[in-house]
Structures are given as structure tokens and as C-alpha cells.
């Protein structure tokens, strides 16, 4: 894997990216001197901005107060769609006991704004320029990004404005398109993108942030995104699995980690625009991490001897109140509390974990005590932080904070070879082919664990003697695969789902979609609150969209399901609290 080299050039575009920022209040910005316009800009400039805005749409931004979530009770502005999904699926910790107060209409304004006024607006400006210049590969990249962006908006919001969107001043109040029709539009965009990628006569962007202008890989990524969309619709479209398998039979999709579609963050620079992985930038700070790690995920990995735990998490201490040291109300209030009855009866871990893993439960909203220098935080994968080698030192080094671990030279995993193996396992299990599903589960775990372990190279000070042995990795994979083969029914789905969630650390879009698509795992740690309200099957429309567009009516609640989510609603949805 290339960890650093291919994105160093992004720092050269600081001025450009500031010019193309989506921080605007009006859709019609063609006369704003702070923004690129068709008569002043070239496709090369637009495509760079579009690519970075796309990465921010998925994984968020470093700007803002990393402790805002303890003030607002949940999701931070500008965090991106992926962290939102990770919170809901216990990959990240959610710090509120009530879903509707956590995920309010104003909490996703930035993501909506970035999608429409950033990504789609720039694509609409760039397209005629690229068409006129015959720059079809610029168009292909934009079409791919648009397809991923609009389908992800459907995944989180349901019906969205699309055919009439980004057309101010001609159309101000864009109507909603059905989620199904937006998916169809995304598939059509990908078909056209593939044609554009194969045009060898086209010029290429001077800065291409994903594949270094390797358009054979771009074609594989486009086909893989089509597979993702077909998988999403398998519950509502009888032909979706056949379409998925047709691409499998073609062989022209991502099968090797070397072809993974990732956004690689160069890291080390905190100057605007900050090019470090967003989770690194928000947690490797002078007062300690802003995020709490998820107790569910850590406990799952500890109790199964998962070899990835030292790559995923970095411990600042080896002592947790109520475990290695006495309970302490000041830093960990719950260490003096009695577990809720539904935690006790369900056998869920509560409050604290052994071996220095200082995290929090799902729905723990007890504010921010002075424990920043003690919390377990993001490790070397995927955030480009520190490899956990039992050094137990604070992540914030006052003398040189930017050389801490990998300096934020992390990765946003978007479409990976291991993901495809997990998708194929899901389809085979859904069709009753457990033996085939078992093989794909093993393949997916093997690829993803190797990918995570490779990131130890970005931490120059890591003590490699603490890396797990190759036999430990093999034993772990064989154990999970053996358990899957010996299980049946819901137990097999739980094993696949838990393995899926752990492997997708860093991509909450996939875990959130999987959970709604399958209803598994039913072993997730519940909210601290016994009745936290409806589990979000989709997000409220952003406040700015509802107040500014008369054609958007706010949803009654978070239980509204998107078009492909055909699972039962309400309490019958497994462990939906």
C-alpha cells in the first residue's frame, strides 16, 4: 500500500481549496469573487476541490471544538456521514440517551450543505467546461463521486432533491426525488463514468487523489460501487442479486487490496486546509482526545483476542477506575454506579474495561470529566495515530504534536476488496449457502487484517515487538471461521455481522447500512437508557433544507425507513435501542 506519497501534491492546492470552499449561504454564487466560476476556472481546479470535498463528506473535518459532542449531547457538526453511522452501530461511542435529541435536524446541515453547495455545485460548474475541452476522465471522476454522494444521501435521508437540485436561481425549491429513482440515476452515472474512464484520448487531471490516474482501477471502482448499490437493494429488487453476480462474473471489480478505493490523508499539517485524518486532528490535541472509544467494540476485540486491537486503539494509561485502580467518581462516575437492569440481564459489559482500555458505553452522557489524558483513542489504523506498544504515554506531546504516531497519515476506507468479500458472504448466507459464505468471510477477514496491520509503518516510533505473531492472526481467523461453520441461523448472522462491524472500523456508512439491511448483530450493547426512542432508520432532513425549501416536509420521527430498508419496523428490529 502507498501510505503517503501520492497525496503530497495536495498541499500545493491550499489556495485553490480555500477558494472553492462550500461555506456559502446562497446557492447562486456565480458572482462571488471568493469562488471559482466557469469563466475564471478550469476543470483541473474544480476536480481537485470535488475530490477533497468528497473525502470530507464521508469522514468530516478537523475544524471546530473536539469536545462539542459533550455540549450538544451527540453528533458534532461537520463530522461527516461515516462517524454518524459508526456511532449508531457502536463502532464509535454515542454520548446521549435519547436518539432524537442526539440526531437533530440541525446536526446534519453541514453534510447536506457540503453535498449540494460543495460537491454537486462544483460538478455542475465543471461539467460544461470539461465537455468543451474533451476532458472525459475529469467527467468520469465527477460522475463517480456524484453517484456515491447521492446514493449515500438516500441511505441517510431517504427521498432527496436531485433532478431539480443545484439549479438556482431558475429553481429554488427543488422537489424530492424518490430514493429508488436516485439510485437508478446513480447507476446510470456509473455506466457513463466507465465509458469516460476508457477514453484513452482524454487528458488527465494533474492532481488525482485516489488512483494516480490509473483508469483501469477507476473502472474497477465504478463496478464495485454498482455492486454496493445492487447489494443495498436486494430486499426490494428481485433482480439485484443477479446484477451483482453479473459484475462478479465479469471479474472487473476490486478484488485485491492494491486496488482499494481509499482516500489517503497525507498527514502532519495542521495548517488550513488540515490534511490529517479528521479523527486524528480531533483527538491528538493538547488537552487529550475528544472522542471516547466504544466499550462494545473494545470488549468484543479483547474477549476474542482480536489481533487488530493494538492497531485500532491507543491506550494512554494501563489503569481504569474500577478495574486496575479503585473506582473514581471524578474521572469515571459510572465506576461507582450499579449497572442498569437491562445491562445485567443481557450480560453486557458496563462502564469500564480491564487492561487500561478507557472507553464509554453506548448512550453514556455523563459529561466530560478531566480524563482527556487517560482516554483510549484512535490508533494507527485508520486514523494514522499511534501503534499501541504499551508505552502508555499521552497522545499530546507539547514539544512536537504533529510527529505523534503517524501524524494523521491515515486512510478513509471507501470501497475495498475485503468489503466485497463480506458482501458476497452476506448474499450467500441470505440464499442459504453457508459454506460459500464461510469462505468469503475468511477471505474478507484475511484481507482486512493484513490491511490494518500494514499501517504500523506510518508510526516511526512503534515498538514492533508488540505486534501479534503471524500464528496469532491465523489462529484468530481460523477460530472465527470455525465458529461460523459450527453455528446456524441467527448465530451465523451474528458472527458475520460482528466480523463485518469490526472490519469496517473507519467506515460507518457500511455498518449502518448493513445493520438496517439485515437486522444483525442482535448482540450490540443497548443504550444506557432503557427506552431511548426510535432507532434512527433515517435522519431528519437538515433544518436549513426544511426552512428554505417549501417542497421538503420534515419527517414525523427517526423511524422512517429508506426505500431499500425492508426489515420490520419498531421493537421487532433486533436490539434497535
Amino acid at each position: 500500500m502507498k501510505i503517503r506519497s501520492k497525496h503530497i501534491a495536495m498541499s500545493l492546492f491550499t489556495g485553490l481549496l480555500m477558494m472553492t470552499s462550500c461555506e456559502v449561504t446562497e446557492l447562486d454564487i456565480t458572482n462571488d469573487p471568493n469562488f471559482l466560476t466557469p469563466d475564471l476556472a478550469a476543470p483541473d481546479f474544480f476536480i481537485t476541490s470535488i475530490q477533497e470535498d468528497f473525502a470530507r463528506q464521508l469522514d468530516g473535518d478537523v475544524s471546530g471544538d473536539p469536545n462539542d459532542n459533550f455540549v450538544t449531547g451527540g453528533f458534532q457538526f461537520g463530522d461527516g456521514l461515516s462517524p454518524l453511522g459508526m456511532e449508531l452501530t457502536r463502532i464509535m461511542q454515542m454520548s446521549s440517551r435519547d436518539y432524537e435529541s442526539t440526531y437533530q435536524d440541525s446536526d446534519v446541515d453541514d453534510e447536506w450543505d457540503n453535498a449540494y453547495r460543495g460537491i454537486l455545485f462544483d460538478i455542475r460548474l465543471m461539467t460544461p467546461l470539461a465537455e468543451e475541452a474533451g476532458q472525459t476522465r475529469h467527467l468520469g471522476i465527477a460522475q463517480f463521486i456524484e453517484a456515491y454522494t447521492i446514493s449515500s444521501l438516500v441511505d441517510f435521508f431517504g427521498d432527496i432533491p436531485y433532478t431539480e437540485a443545484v439549479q438556482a436561481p431558475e429553481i429554488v425549491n427543488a422537489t424530492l426525488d424518490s430514493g429508488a429513482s436516485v439510485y437508478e440515476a446513480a447507476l446510470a452515472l456509473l455506466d457513463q463514468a466507465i465509458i469516460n474512464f476508457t477514453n484513452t484520448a482524454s487528458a488527465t487531471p494533474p492532481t488525482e487523489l485516489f488512483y494516480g490516474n490509473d483508469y483501469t482501477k477507476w473502472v474497477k471502482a465504478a463496478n464495485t460501487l454498482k455492486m454496493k448499490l445492487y447489494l443495498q437493494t436486494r430486499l426490494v429488487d428481485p433482480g439485484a442479486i443477479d446484477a451483482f453476480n453479473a459484475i462478479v462474473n465479469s471479474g472487473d471489480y476490486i478484488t485485491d487490496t492494491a486496488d482499494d478505493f481509499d482516500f489517503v490523508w497525507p498527514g502532519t499539517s495542521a495548517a488550513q486546509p488540515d490534511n490529517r485524518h479528521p479523527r486524528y486532528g480531533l483527538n491528538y490535541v493538547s488537552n487529550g482526545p475528544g472522542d471516547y472509544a466504544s466499550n462494545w467494540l473494545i470488549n468484543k476485540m479483547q474477549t476474542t483476542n482480536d489481533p487488530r486491537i493494538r492497531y485500532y486503539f491507543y491506550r494512554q494509561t494501563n489503569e481504569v477506575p474500577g478495574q486496575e485502580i479503585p473506582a473514581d467518581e471524578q474521572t469515571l462516575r459510572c465506576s461507582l454506579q450499579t449497572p442498569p437492569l437491562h445491562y445485567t440481564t443481557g450480560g453486557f459489559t458496563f462502564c469500564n474495561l480491564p487492561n487500561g482500555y478507557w472507553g464509554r458505553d453506548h448512550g453514556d452522557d455523563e459529561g466530560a470529566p478531566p480524563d482527556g489524558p487517560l482516554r483510549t483513542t484512535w490508533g494507527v489504523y485508520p486514523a494514522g495515530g499511534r501503534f499501541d506498544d504499551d508505552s502508555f504515554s499521552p497522545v499530546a506531546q507539547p514539544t512536537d504534536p504533529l510527529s505523534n504516531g503517524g501524524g494523521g497519515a491515515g486512510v478513509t476506507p471507501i470501497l475495498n476488496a475485503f468489503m466485497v468479500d463480506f458482501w458476497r458472504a452476506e448474499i450467500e448466507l441470505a440464499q442459504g449457502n453457508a459454506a460459500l459464505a464461510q469462505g468469503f468471510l475468511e477471505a474478507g477477514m484475511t484481507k482486512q487484517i493484513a490491511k490494518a496491520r500494514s499501517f504500523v509503518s506510518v508510526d516511526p516510533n512503534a515498538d514492533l515487538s508488540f505486534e501479534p505473531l503471524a500464528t496469532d492472526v491465523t489462529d484468530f481467523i481460523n477460530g472465527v471461521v470455525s465458529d461460523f461453520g459450527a453455528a446456524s441461523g441467527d448465530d451465523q448472522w451474528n458472527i458475520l455481522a460482528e466480523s463485518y462491524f469490526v472490519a469496517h472500523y473507519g467506515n460507518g456508512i457500511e455498518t449502518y447500512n448493513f445493520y438496517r439491511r439485515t437486522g444483525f448483530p442482535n448482540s450490540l450493547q443497548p443504550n444506557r437508557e432503557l427506552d431511548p426512542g426510535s432507532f434512527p432508520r433515517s435522519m431528519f432532513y437538515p433544518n436549513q433544507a426544511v426552512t428554505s425549501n417549501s417542497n421538503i416536509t420534515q419527517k414525523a420521527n427517526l423511524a422512517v425507513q429508506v426505500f431499500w430498508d425492508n426489515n420490520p419496523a419498531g421493537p421487532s428490529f433486533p436490539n434497535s435501542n
Side-chain angles (χ1 to χ4, degrees), residues 122-134:
D122 280 356
I123 289 175
R124 296 296 177 268
L125 290 179
M126 186 200 77
T127 296
L129 302 177
E131 289 175 340
E132 182 179 359

Side-chain angles (χ1 to χ4, degrees), residues 190-404:
L190 290 170
D191 286 338
Q192 187 58 50
I194 291 170
I195 294 172
N196 286 329
F197 289 147
T198 55
N199 182 0
T200 58
S202 172
T204 57
T207 303
E208 194 273 273
L209 302 177
F210 292 94
Y211 286 134
N213 285 314
D214 186 334
Y215 290 92
T216 300
K217 292 185 177 183
W218 270 107
V219 170
K220 290 181 180 181
N223 279 323
T224 305
L225 180 50
K226 290 177 68 175
M227 294 171 71
K228 168 183 160 72
L229 299 182
Y230 289 134
L231 176 71
Q232 283 299 108
T233 58
R234 69 174 179 82
L235 298 176
V236 295
D237 180 1
I241 292 179
D242 288 341
F244 180 100
N245 287 331
I247 298 176
V248 171
N249 293 335
S250 76
D252 201 10
Y253 61 98
I254 297 172
T255 59
D256 191 290
T257 300
D259 296 334
D260 282 355
F261 183 77
D262 292 327
F263 190 85
V264 181
W265 301 86
T268 72
S269 175
Q272 293 301 319
D274 193 321
N275 69 5
R276 301 170 299 168
H277 190 289
R279 305 327 297 177
Y280 182 96
L282 291 167
N283 288 281
Y284 283 70
V285 294
S286 59
N287 58 340
D291 291 334
Y292 278 105
S294 163
N295 275 351
W296 178 83
L297 181 59
I298 294 174
N299 183 65
K300 174 66 184 172
M301 298 182 77
Q302 270 209 100
T303 56
T304 58
N305 294 317
D306 193 308
R308 291 165 287 192
I309 195 166
R310 288 183 180 271
Y311 304 87
Y312 281 18
F313 298 106
Y314 178 78
R315 293 168 294 169
Q316 299 185 94
T317 181
N318 61 348
E319 299 175 328
V320 178
Q323 293 285 340
E324 293 81 13
I325 56 176
D328 180 2
E329 183 175 3
Q330 183 179 12
T331 57
L332 196 63
R333 185 183 308 171
C334 62
S335 63
L336 292 170
Q337 297 172 353
T338 301
L341 182 61
H342 62 293
Y343 269 52
T344 303
T345 57
F348 297 103
T349 182
F350 173 73
C351 182
N352 48 28
L353 298 171
N355 301 316
Y357 286 101
W358 191 302
R360 277 198 173 185
D361 298 331
H362 185 66
D364 184 341
D365 64 345
E366 293 182 341
D371 64 349
L374 301 169
R375 302 175 196 171
T376 294
T377 193
W378 294 76
V380 71
Y381 179 86
R386 295 181 67 172
F387 173 73
D388 190 336
D389 55 8
D390 285 4
S391 58
F392 305 119
S393 57
V395 296
Q397 302 292 336
T399 56
D400 191 8
L402 297 183
S403 65
N404 205 351

Side-chain angles (χ1 to χ4, degrees), residues 502-566:
V502 176
H504 286 77
Y505 189 56
N507 188 322
I509 295 174
E510 293 302 318
T511 57
Y512 183 44
N513 286 352
F514 181 95
Y515 189 49
R516 290 175 294 166
R517 196 167 62 234
T518 68
F520 291 97
N522 59 24
S523 55
L524 290 178
Q525 183 187 48
N527 198 303
R528 282 278 192 93
E529 181 66 38
L530 180 61
D531 183 13
S534 299
F535 177 83
R537 304 297 282 268
S538 67
M539 295 293 106
F540 284 126
Y541 287 117
N543 176 266
Q544 65 168 347
V546 174
T547 57
S548 64
N549 187 340
S550 60
N551 285 319
I552 299 180
T553 301
Q554 188 57 274
K555 300 169 187 175
N557 53 54
L558 295 174
V560 177
Q561 295 171 227
V562 301
F563 84 98
W564 51 256
D565 180 359
N566 199 31

Side-chain angles (χ1 to χ4, degrees), residues 69 72-77 79-96 99 102-103 107 156 279 290-292 294 296 361-363 378 501 507-509 511-512 515 524-525 527 535-536 539 577:
N69 55 331
T72 62
F75 190 61
Q76 300 174 44
F77 280 17
D79 258 2
L81 295 178
S82 182
L84 192 162
M86 284 193 282
E87 285 185 359
L88 288 168
T89 53
R90 285 63 160 177
I91 305 303
M92 286 176 61
Q93 192 264 344
M94 187 191 80
S95 56
S96 176
Y99 284 116
T102 306
Y103 303 103
D107 289 341
F156 280 80
R279 305 327 297 177
D291 291 334
Y292 278 105
S294 163
W296 178 83
D361 298 331
H362 185 66
W378 294 76
F501 278 30
N507 188 322
I509 295 174
T511 57
Y512 183 44
Y515 189 49
L524 290 178
Q525 183 187 48
N527 198 303
F535 177 83
M539 295 293 106
N577 63 343

Side-chain angles (χ1 to χ4, degrees), residues 50-61 75 78-86 92 110-111 114-115 119 144-145 147-153 155-156 210 225 228 261-263 265 277-279 411-415 419 506-510:
I50 290 165
Q51 290 174 85
E52 189 185 358
D53 279 351
F54 176 55
R56 302 291 183 191
Q57 179 73 3
L58 305 182
D59 230 343
D61 205 339
F75 190 61
D79 258 2
L81 295 178
S82 182
L84 192 162
M86 284 193 282
M92 286 176 61
D110 282 3
E111 287 68 35
N114 185 54
I119 297 169
F144 176 96
I145 290 175
Y148 196 108
T149 300
I150 62 175
S151 60
S152 295
L153 289 175
D155 295 342
F156 280 80
F210 292 94
L225 180 50
K228 168 183 160 72
F261 183 77
D262 292 327
F263 190 85
W265 301 86
H277 190 289
R279 305 327 297 177
V411 64
T412 296
I414 305 173
L415 295 171
M419 295 179 186
N507 188 322
I509 295 174
E510 293 302 318

